[in-house]
Each structure stands twice: as structure tokens, then as C-alpha cells.
Amino acid sequence: MTVSSAEPLRASDAGPDWTRWLGTLGGAFLGLVLLVAAWAKALDPQAFAQQIHGQKLDFLLPAPTVALLALGLEVGLGVALLFGVRRLWVLVPAALLVAFFLFLTGRAYWLAAHGVAPDAAGCGCFGNLVQRSPAAAFWQDLLLLVPALALAFAGRSGRGDRRQRAPGPWVRTVAAAVLALSAMAFAWKAPDLPLDDLATRLKPGAEIKAMCAGAGADRVCLDTVAPDLNSGAHLVVLADLTDPGFQKAVDALNAYAGSGKSPAVSVLADVTAEQKQTFFWRWAPAFPIVETPAAILKPLYRRLPRSFVIQDGRVTRTYPGLPPLPPLATASAPPASGPASRP
């Protein structure tokens, strides 16, 4: 019998293809989740920066800078994984990022469970577009990210495999880096782009009964905070009563409210009873101001003021800033202050 002198078959060459494909699919799924999360935050980077500041993660760099760098990292890793790059320089940072997400959601879950933080306060890993309680955020991230990350390590090419010496992964890595830089540039310019309907939960067709915050017994929705909006036509302004720009518009809003035209104007603001009383004595608004929790308002805007028209509890139109008031209402506006303008 002749003994073959052929080179022994290496484990990396003999491994089944299904493990490689399973690992590729796991990495692609993880990359897709990272890209969806990055997209939601890139639409409203200012809100993301506020969340970073609230988590005290801006101890080295300003929160807006940290937000842009985090988005670049998330997009770069997501694109690389989606392109099938599963080298250690991609998987190790991805594993650290997943661990960091779980730390944030786990800490928020623990704080909410022990009454230290409100149950409505999540980590914001998916921006303002996704409403999740701290408990839901932790368990969803755990189930979405960890299995996909574990699968991404499966079926990786061995050191001696010819696939490791192919130039393809480097080309895809460079493409991922370019897309990461593009995402950072987009996020930098996003606040000035007309993306409010994409970046927030307030858009035509949305219902106020679905604009909620909290969970369980603590859940509160806009239709209970402002029940008058459930019927009829209303012009609603989301505003900061301390904003000088909004204060200058009170005269025009008063004139419109006094004209009796439809839709009737209302203002929603995160304000205390004392602040509301002070505003009434100083500016004498002829329109109602509804005290609305910040947890409900924040997912509805990127910048204040923002306005929308609602018909029987359903949004029909949105406006960036203040609504376009009729010229006649502006021209007939009463003086901004003085005894005559007070009730």
C-alpha cells in the first residue's frame, strides 16, 4: 500500500461552511442594530449630547464632541460588520461597545427599580424615536446584542486561511471609515436640516393618545394632560416660556386668539404653576397654557418652539418654529406690556 505524503488537512480548511455563514449573519445583524441606533441619534445629535451630559460621560470632552465621536464609532463598526469584516480590530471594539450599552441600560434599570431614577428615564440608545422603559431597554439590548455578538465570533477564518491574506477586508474597512466620517458630518449639520418629522414622534398622522411617557401605573399620555385636544381643531405650540423669541411672539398669538379664528391656539410647556403665573402677569396671554411633563414633550421636538395643527386628536400638519400667523393678526396685536394688557 502506498502512503500518501499529502499535507494534513488543517482545521481551518476543514471547518464547515455553515459556521462561517452563521457568524457572518450574526455580525451583519449586530451591525444593522448599531446602524439603526446611530441613525436615530444622528437625526437629533443635540438630544444625544444632552443624554451624554446627563449620564456624566463628558468628563474629558464636551458632550457635543463626545456625541459625534460616539456616532462615528457606532457607524464605523456597524458598517464593517454589515460588510462581513469580522477581524479582531472590529469584533473587540464591538464587544466593548455592547458591554458599555448593557452597563448603561443595566444601571438605569437598577436605579429605576430602586426608585432612584424615574421609570421613564432610559439610556436613549435608540434616540427619541423609540420609547423604552429602563427594564425594557436592558432586556431588549441583552437579547438583541449579546447573541448576535457571540455568533459574530463563530466561523472566523484561521491564520493560515487564504481569506485572511485577501485585500477585501481592508477595502471594506476603509469604506466603513469613510461612511463613519460621513455620518459624523451629517450629524453635525442635522440640527439645521428640515428633519423634525423624521427625528421626532410628532409628525402628520400621529395621535396624541400615543404620545406617552412612563410605564405601568406611572404612564401618562398627552390626551390626558391636554384633554381639550381630543376633539375639534387646534393650533398647538410647544414652547419654552422663558425664551425671549417666544415672548416676542405673544402679541401675535394674542391677536390670533382674540380674533376667534379656527383652529384655536394652545401652548404646551414644561412649566411649574409658579412660572406659569409669573408669565401670565407679565405677558397676559389670551391663549391657554397647559403644563406638560418634559418626558412627554422632549420626544416631540428638536428645537423650541415647534408647532402643529391637530384635528380630533390626530396631527395633520407640523411647523418648525412658530406657526405662520395671518398678517392681520400680527398687525392688530396689542402692546406687549402695560396695565391695559393685563387681565
Side-chain angles (χ1 to χ4, degrees):
M1 177 180 292
T2 303
V3 179
S4 174
S5 60
E7 181 182 351
L9 190 64
R10 290 172 297 193
S12 61
D13 295 330
D17 285 341
W18 66 267
T19 59
R20 181 165 58 88
W21 284 110
L22 191 62
T24 300
L25 289 175
F29 181 80
L30 176 60
L32 184 62
V33 173
L34 294 178
L35 289 176
V36 170
W39 166 252
K41 289 178 290 203
L43 290 172
D44 192 0
Q46 293 177 335
F48 184 36
Q50 291 174 359
Q51 292 166 351
I52 289 174
H53 180 70
Q55 297 281 355
K56 296 181 171 49
L57 301 176
D58 52 349
F59 51 88
L60 292 179
L61 295 171
T65 303
V66 176
L68 291 180
L69 293 176
L71 286 171
L73 176 63
E74 204 167 353
V75 170
L77 292 175
V79 172
L81 289 168
L82 197 62
F83 284 174
V85 181
R86 292 187 293 129
R87 301 293 184 91
L88 288 181
W89 66 71
V90 173
L91 291 180
V92 171
L96 294 175
L97 187 62
V98 168
F100 185 63
F101 284 162
L102 291 176
F103 164 74
L104 292 179
T105 56
R107 182 178 66 174
Y109 180 22
W110 187 91
L111 292 175
H114 290 77
V116 180
D119 194 46
C123 79
C125 299
F126 286 88
N128 277 327
L129 293 178
V130 180
Q131 179 185 357
R132 305 192 299 172
S133 67
F138 174 73
W139 290 112
Q140 289 172 5
D141 286 0
L142 184 68
L143 295 176
L144 280 175
L145 301 178
V146 174
L149 176 65
L151 287 176
F153 280 89
R156 293 181 63 248
S157 301
R159 186 173 181 179
D161 194 341
R162 289 188 298 273
R163 289 191 298 267
Q164 292 283 18
R165 299 192 295 270
W170 289 103
V171 174
R172 287 173 282 168
T173 301
V174 171
V178 171
L179 289 175
L181 293 175
S182 301
M184 294 172 66
F186 170 79
W188 178 45
K189 287 294 185 180
D192 299 321
L193 299 177
L195 300 173
D196 286 344
D197 287 350
L198 278 176
T200 69
R201 301 175 199 169
L202 178 61
K203 61 196 70 178
E207 296 182 334
I208 62 171
K209 65 181 181 181
M211 301 175 186
C212 306
D218 297 327
R219 184 176 176 85
V220 59
C221 300
L222 187 56
D223 63 334
T224 57
V225 173
D228 290 344
L229 302 182
N230 288 311
S231 60
H234 300 269
L235 175 61
V236 183
V237 180
L238 310 179
D240 176 6
L241 300 188
T242 64
D243 176 22
F246 175 74
Q247 293 172 352
K248 291 178 181 179
V250 170
D251 291 346
L253 290 172
N254 278 346
Y256 177 79
S259 68
K261 294 182 179 180
S262 181
V265 63
S266 299
V267 171
L268 307 183
D270 176 27
V271 62
T272 64
E274 183 179 357
Q275 292 171 332
K276 181 178 176 181
Q277 184 178 18
T278 301
F279 185 86
F280 264 92
W281 277 107
R282 182 176 181 185
W283 300 102
F287 45 85
I289 298 176
V290 181
E291 302 172 27
T292 310
I296 293 180
L297 287 181
K298 189 61 188 76
L300 305 183
Y301 68 88
R302 295 191 300 168
R303 290 179 176 174
L304 290 176
R306 191 184 183 201
S307 310
F308 60 99
V309 176
I310 192 168
Q311 178 69 45
D312 297 329
R314 184 183 295 271
V315 177
T316 60
R317 189 170 185 179
T318 62
Y319 301 98
L322 293 167
L325 298 174
L328 179 61
T330 304
S332 60
S337 61
S341 64
R342 295 184 178 180

